[in-house]
Amino acid sequence: MANEKRPDSMERITTPALANAFIEEEVAKVRAQVGDKKVLLALSGGVDSAVCLALLQEQGYEVTGLYLENGVSPDGARDAGAVADRFGAELIVTDIRAEL
């Protein structure tokens, strides 16, 4: 979101039931777009991409993580590797520092 403000029409997730409803809606969107194909997911080493990987794995998708080592995050590759290991995903790490 460009202005970093939740739209008034978006319900705040305050209960497990609302969280589950949100997850179900998002999973349906992923299923419509991905179907039964494998998923290539860019990992940042942070929480958002880790949660995305966990949710995809939980739904039975075969996920391969891709981490681009750009030198900005000193622990990025290690963190991305830990996420991939935790959820049993393959991880591809590509060092792009020389390209920048």
Side-chain angles (χ1 to χ4, degrees):
M1 293 187 242
N3 63 5
E4 299 298 321
K5 183 180 181 292
R6 177 179 52 85
D8 293 333
S9 63
M10 184 184 290
E11 189 171 3
R12 183 174 296 277
I13 297 175
T14 57
T15 67
L18 289 173
N20 288 334
F22 173 77
I23 291 169
E24 287 176 17
E25 289 173 15
E26 296 307 306
V27 166
K29 290 176 189 176
V30 170
R31 287 213 186 282
Q33 188 172 19
V34 177
D36 61 354
K37 298 175 186 163
K38 296 177 183 178
V39 175
L40 177 64
L41 176 67
L43 290 172
S44 66
V47 172
D48 293 344
S49 59
V51 168
C52 186
L53 187 142
L55 291 173
L56 288 166
Q57 288 272 344
E58 183 179 275
Q59 295 302 312
Y61 284 102
E62 184 178 335
V63 181
T64 298
L66 172 64
Y67 180 79
L68 301 178
E69 177 60 76
N70 58 16
V72 175
S73 174
D75 298 329
R78 187 193 74 208
D79 293 344
V83 167
D85 286 346
R86 167 69 176 86
F87 295 103
E90 179 183 352
L91 178 66
I92 299 168
V93 178
T94 302
D95 192 333
I96 63 167
R97 289 176 284 195
E99 308 298 321
L100 299 176

